[in-house]
């Protein structure tokens, strides 16, 4: 009975933390408008032009197929960018004393870390849901099971990145350093991945290829592509579907546990620069 009561209390704390993160992202009207505009420009204007320019026929992709390949890559990139941007919210909360307040609450610090990681992941995934549905419409793929599995995969990936963001931001304790690191990571990881080009093409450029095969964005982008058209993309993705799913699940577990460790053992109030 005591165990059940404690479990319900922890679940209540997690739900409150999720609600907090949802409220934070809803208030970012300008950010929402900017990212939505960027996405529309990418998929409506740049996408068709790039599909015409890229010579993908040698690997069995015509213009239409490459456009679908591109759409799922762009969705992955914006999901990552929005999730990574949570670092700025966390930095702001630390400066305002909100993190210190949350640390003082009568809740287990592991629950605080778990709730913030889940909350950030859910908020980012919900924010990008209209964009994901736009991709589905443009790609003309309407299988409900595939859509559900894709959203769950995106959510797990987003929670994993949220755990990384929490760990990094709260370990650095510097707004300036957070801005630099997240900006550099966003630029590098998006470009050194399979978001724009298939892995079989990148093999011709060894440094690019090896960077792509350890890049988390490559795994989510290619996993989503496999879900939608195994026959079309099965031969050009970075690894087999089981390995991609295991990689993303490993990220989820690893970064969530790391965030728990950092918040429980390493974080104290003060020290923010």
């Amino acid at each position: 009975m005591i165990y059940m009561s404690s479990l319900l209390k922890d679940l209540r704390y997690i739900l409150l933390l999720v609600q907090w993160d949802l409220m934070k992202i809803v208030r970012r009207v300008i950010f929402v408008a900017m990212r939505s505009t960027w996405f529309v420009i990418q998929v409506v204007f740049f996408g068709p032009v790039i599909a015409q320019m890229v010579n993908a026929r040698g690997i069995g992709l015509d213009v239409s197929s490459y456009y679908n390949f591109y759409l799922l890559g762009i969705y992955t990139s914006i999901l990552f960018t929005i999730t990574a941007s949570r670092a700025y919210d966390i930095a702001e909360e630390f400066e305002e004393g909100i993190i210190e307040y949350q640390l003082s609450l009568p809740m287990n610090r592991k629950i605080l870390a778990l709730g913030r990681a889940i909350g950030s992941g859910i908020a980012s995934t919900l924010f990008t849901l209209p964009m994901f549905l736009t991709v589905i419409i443009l790609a003309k793929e309407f299988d409900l099971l595939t859509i559900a599995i894709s959203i769950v995969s995106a959510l797990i990936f987003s929670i994993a990145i949220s755990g990384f963001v929490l760990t990094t931001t709260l370990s650095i304790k510097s707004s300036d350093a957070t801005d630099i690191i997240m900006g550099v990571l966003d630029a590098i990881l998006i470009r050194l991945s399979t978001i724009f080009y298939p892995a079989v093409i990148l093999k011709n450029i060894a440094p690019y290829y090896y960077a792509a095969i350890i890049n988390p964005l490559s795994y989510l982008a290619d996993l989503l592509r496999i879900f939608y058209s195994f026959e079309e993309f099965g031969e050009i993705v970075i690894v087999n579907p089981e390995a991609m799913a295991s990689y993303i699940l490993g990220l989820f577990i690893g970064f969530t546990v790391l965030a728990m460790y950092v918040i429980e053992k390493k974080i104290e109030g003060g020290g923010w620069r």
Side-chain angles (χ1 to χ4, degrees), residues 4-22:
M4 184 60 68
S5 176
S6 176
L7 179 61
L8 290 174
K9 183 184 294 184
D10 288 343
L11 287 174
R12 179 173 176 272
Y13 283 138
I14 290 174
L15 289 174
L16 288 172
L17 291 167
V18 169
Q19 183 181 10
W20 169 258
D21 280 303
L22 288 173

Side-chain angles (χ1 to χ4, degrees), residues 197-261:
Y197 305 108
V200 293
I201 295 296
L202 300 182
K203 284 183 178 179
N204 297 323
I205 310 173
Y208 201 145
Y209 174 71
Y210 290 120
I213 63 176
I214 62 171
N215 190 331
L217 277 70
S218 297
Y219 286 81
L220 180 63
D222 279 3
L223 186 61
L224 294 178
R225 288 160 180 156
I226 282 288
F227 288 154
Y228 285 97
S229 185
F230 180 81
E231 294 79 10
E232 193 170 29
F233 300 130
E235 297 298 323
I236 63 171
V237 294
I238 201 158
V239 290
N240 64 70
E242 293 79 9
M244 288 189 285
S246 298
Y247 183 94
I248 292 172
L249 187 60
L251 284 179
F252 166 75
I253 295 171
F255 283 136
T256 303
V257 170
L258 188 58
M260 289 180 179
Y261 173 77

